């Protein structure tokens, strides 16, 4: 059988596949890479060229491509049960996964509702919040609050709480209007302010809104610690403590979108674990937990589409009734897919067996130290790090050069065996957790070289 060449795969794809988050005309100049296979942190194209997956294939791949442990679990599951509807049925993988995730919250969030992608999880959380308030008799609570620059997905409900014009503006007439409040982004610090000061100022702006509209607002949704798609905007954990107390004060649900920042990405399994609930300092220190947590991306190790919403017993009980109309009548055909749940269970096993969170702390320290020369570059602004996420902003004075920086950086990085996709002028690294010291050094050195090459051409 004739083997297709790299160029033939590219042409066939461009003729038949509409690629996501892409202006397709850009592929007249920006390379499209036909992937043949993956091993560890590397992707290989059909010509045998390799690329270090420094963004974990859109933040999903935690433990490398073709991970032996996850592969073995999936092969075993494939011979048992590939799928069964979750309405009226259940199965071992979904039960075990739900129990293990609940245990990681100390069973504060003890009920899991499943879907397949992050935007779907956000839709579920929004609908649950709205419906729970209605079931409780608070029918006026129909509004939502999001942060400036927030991104929560591209379905209609998720877009309604997204504040990125590039994604939202084209569909504005289809969307409900959400309240947008100040982001706690530490880059907004005024002279003499700390990141914690910015966080408290942002929390105060939320409270001012809730003083006026609290009786009409169902929930606030935020990405805890890092707003990813807006350019890796990082904030102090005190923001989570403040908004939890404020939401309690005004009876507003709190939704944490941990789709990108969960599963160890920020240094703890759940990002919210890094914040301390107000009034529990000292020996009684407790983590901040929201009313809903949305998980996706890394939860299956980057193997299969899977998302879920975790919520409290109080929310669950608000739907528990003989009246079917008070139930949560939401569904997806592949809800709780056994293969995806088994991949997630294998992923959680790796976290425990390899002491991943502690190993990541050492890896992050090494990477951050190695990146210091790049952080000191005269064209680098706001170098920042949280867990296994690093980011910095490129200083580019020419607007025309700034407009094309991301695509030019991406193309130059491919020439250096790196998969990196800046968000606007923000360069970020979000690699798999399995990088060796040698791969860390290669990633740091080549990222610096690519930046120097691209920024030098803009001078």
């Amino acid at each position: 059988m004739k083997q297709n060449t790299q160029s033939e795969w590219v042409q066939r794809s461009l003729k038949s596949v509409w690629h996501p988050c892409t202006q397709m005309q850009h592929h007249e100049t920006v390379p499209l890479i036909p992937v043949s296979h993956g091993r560890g942190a590397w992707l290989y194209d059909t010509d045998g060229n390799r690329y270090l997956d420094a963004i974990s294939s859109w933040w999903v791949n935690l433990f490398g491509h073709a991970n032996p442990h996850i592969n073995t679990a999936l092969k075993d599951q494939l011979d048992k049960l590939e799928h069964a509807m979750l309405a009226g049925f259940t199965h071992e993988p979904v039960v075990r996964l739900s129990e293990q995730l609940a245990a990681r919250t100390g069973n504060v969030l003890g009920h899991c509702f499943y879907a397949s992608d992050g935007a779907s999880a956000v839709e579920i959380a929004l609908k649950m919040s709205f419906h729970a308030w209605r079931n409780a008799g608070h029918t006026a609570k129909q509004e939502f609050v999001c942060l400036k620059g927030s991104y929560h997905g591209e379905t209609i409900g998720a877009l309604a709480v997204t504040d990125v014009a590039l994604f939202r503006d084209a569909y504005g007439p289809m969307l409900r209007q959400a309240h947008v409040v100040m982001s706690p982004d530490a880059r907004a610090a005024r002279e003499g302010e700390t990141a914690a000061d910015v966080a408290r100022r942002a929390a105060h702006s939320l409270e001012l809104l809730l003083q006026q509209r609290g009786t009409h607002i169902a929930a606030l949704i935020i990405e805890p610690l890092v707003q990813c798609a807006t350019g890796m905007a990082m904030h102090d954990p005190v923001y989570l403590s403040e908004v939890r107390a404020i939401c309690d004060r005004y009876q507003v649900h709190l939704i944490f979108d941990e789709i990108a920042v969960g599963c160890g990405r920020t240094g703890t399994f759940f990002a919210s674990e890094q914040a301390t609930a107000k009034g529990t300092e000292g020996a009684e220190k407790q983590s901040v937990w929201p009313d809903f947590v949305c998980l996706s991306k890394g939860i299956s190790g980057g193997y299969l589409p899977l998302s879920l919403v975790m919520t409290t017993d109080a929310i669950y009980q608000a739907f528990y009734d003989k009246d079917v109309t008070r139930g949560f009548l939401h569904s997806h055909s592949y809800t709780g897919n056994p293969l995806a749940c088994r991949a997630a269970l294998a992923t959680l096993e790796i976290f425990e067996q390899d002491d991943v969170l502690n190993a990541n702390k050492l890896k992050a320290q090494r990477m951050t130290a190695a990146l210091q020369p790049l952080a000191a570059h005269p064209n680098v602004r706001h170098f920042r790090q949280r867990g296994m996420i690093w980011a910095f902003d490129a200083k580019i004075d020419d607007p025309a050069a700034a407009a094309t920086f991301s695509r030019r950086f991406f193309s130059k990085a491919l020439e250096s065996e790196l998969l990196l996709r800046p968000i606007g002028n923000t360069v970020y690294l979000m690699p798999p957790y399995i990088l060796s010291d040698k791969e860390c050094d290669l990633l740091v050195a080549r990222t610096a070289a690519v930046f120097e090459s691209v920024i030098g051409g803009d001078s």
Side-chain angles (χ1 to χ4, degrees):
M1 184 179 294
K2 177 183 178 293
Q3 294 293 318
N4 286 278
T5 66
Q6 180 126 322
S7 61
E8 287 172 333
W9 280 122
V10 169
Q11 290 308 309
R12 287 175 65 179
S13 186
L14 291 176
K15 187 176 180 180
S16 61
V17 181
W18 197 336
H19 293 267
C21 201
T22 299
Q23 169 48 264
M24 292 300 293
Q25 191 183 63
H26 290 167
H27 279 308
E28 292 180 6
T29 56
V30 176
L32 182 66
I33 308 299
V35 176
S36 166
H37 62 285
R39 290 291 183 275
W42 297 88
L43 292 169
Y44 295 83
D45 68 21
T46 52
D47 279 350
N49 301 306
R50 66 175 191 168
Y51 309 92
L52 181 63
D53 191 354
I55 59 170
S56 299
S57 288
W58 261 348
W59 320 340
V60 302
N61 187 276
L62 302 189
F63 298 118
H65 300 281
N67 181 279
H69 185 76
I70 302 175
N71 285 0
T72 298
L74 283 175
K75 290 171 184 175
D76 177 72
Q77 184 62 42
L78 195 59
D79 286 331
K80 294 179 178 178
L81 178 65
E82 82 299 337
H83 184 65
M85 58 188 278
L86 205 59
F89 292 85
T90 193
H91 51 77
E92 180 181 345
V94 77
V95 172
R96 290 176 54 211
L97 179 58
S98 301
E99 289 173 345
Q100 290 185 28
L101 289 172
R104 285 181 173 272
T105 72
N107 293 304
V108 173
L109 302 171
H111 301 272
C112 295
F113 194 101
Y114 288 82
S116 57
D117 58 80
S120 297
V122 169
E123 298 273 345
I124 288 165
L126 297 175
K127 287 178 65 177
M128 275 187 177
S129 174
F130 170 89
H131 199 162
W133 285 124
R134 189 184 75 171
N135 282 353
H138 299 285
T139 56
K141 283 184 169 288
Q142 300 182 13
E143 301 171 8
F144 294 93
V145 185
C146 64
L147 301 184
K148 181 177 175 58
S150 59
Y151 173 89
H152 297 289
E154 293 164 38
T155 51
I156 297 301
L159 268 181
V161 289
T162 287
D163 185 49
V164 178
L166 179 64
F167 300 114
R168 181 188 170 97
D169 283 2
Y171 310 101
M174 300 174 66
L175 307 177
R176 291 191 62 174
Q177 189 65 42
H179 300 279
V180 180
V181 294
M182 175 185 168
S183 166
D185 182 356
R187 293 174 296 179
R190 299 166 178 167
E191 186 175 355
E193 272 192 328
T194 65
D197 292 333
V198 179
R200 291 188 178 92
R201 183 155 52 89
H204 180 64
S205 75
L206 170 68
E207 181 151 31
L208 292 178
L209 171 65
L210 297 192
Q211 286 174 355
Q212 297 178 341
R213 300 294 300 173
T215 56
H216 296 272
I217 290 172
L220 162 70
I221 182 169
I222 61 176
E223 281 184 287
L225 301 186
V226 186
Q227 291 178 253
C228 293
T230 196
M232 302 299 161
M234 300 186 184
H235 59 256
D236 192 282
V238 73
Y239 182 72
L240 309 183
S241 307
E242 295 287 332
V243 299
R244 175 70 278 181
I246 292 169
C247 287
D248 287 343
R249 196 149 54 240
Y250 293 92
Q251 290 189 291
V252 168
H253 290 149
L254 181 56
I255 303 169
F256 281 175
D257 174 353
E258 296 221 16
I259 291 161
V261 301
C263 301
R265 184 54 72 177
T266 62
T268 46
F269 189 84
F270 293 102
S272 62
E273 294 177 72
Q274 296 179 47
T276 301
K278 297 190 80 170
T280 66
E281 291 78 7
E284 297 180 1
K285 178 179 175 182
Q286 297 176 9
S287 297
V288 168
W289 295 110
D291 301 289
F292 304 90
V293 164
C294 302
L295 286 180
S296 189
K297 292 192 181 289
I299 189 60
S300 73
Y303 266 69
L304 289 165
L306 179 67
S307 68
L308 60 109
V309 175
M310 304 180 68
T311 192
T312 64
D313 188 59
I315 299 293
Y316 177 80
Q317 289 298 327
F319 294 87
Y320 201 84
D321 196 276
K322 291 180 180 179
D323 183 354
V324 68
T325 65
R326 292 175 63 87
F328 189 62
L329 307 182
H330 183 104
S331 65
H332 296 268
S333 298
Y334 283 92
T335 290
N337 175 259
L339 286 168
C341 290
R342 187 67 185 275
L345 285 167
T347 298
L348 295 183
E349 288 167 2
I350 295 173
F351 270 100
E352 296 305 313
Q353 293 169 7
D354 296 347
D355 194 16
V356 168
L357 296 177
N358 284 323
N360 279 357
K361 289 178 183 178
L362 298 177
K363 199 182 301 289
Q365 291 171 4
R366 192 177 193 280
M367 282 273 290
T368 301
L371 284 164
Q372 290 313 298
L374 179 56
H377 191 287
N379 290 93
V380 165
R381 297 289 182 271
H382 302 296
F383 176 84
R384 51 203 183 273
Q385 176 262 335
R386 173 71 68 175
M388 291 292 287
I389 306 173
W390 294 264
F392 62 87
D393 304 327
K395 177 182 178 295
I396 305 172
D397 295 326
D398 179 9
T404 61
F405 172 80
S406 177
R407 294 200 301 275
R408 290 184 291 115
F409 193 101
F410 169 70
S411 297
K412 194 68 178 177
L414 290 177
E415 295 175 12
S416 296
E417 299 186 322
L418 299 181
L419 171 54
L420 288 169
R421 286 172 58 105
I423 301 170
N425 291 349
T426 297
V427 178
Y428 73 91
L429 310 177
M430 201 185 286
Y433 302 161
I434 46 83
L435 289 190
S436 65
D437 287 349
K438 183 177 179 181
E439 288 168 336
C440 287
D441 292 344
L442 181 149
L443 174 56
V444 169
R446 294 191 184 180
T447 300
V450 170
F451 181 74
E452 186 62 54
S453 175
V454 174
I455 209 72
D458 293 337
S459 300

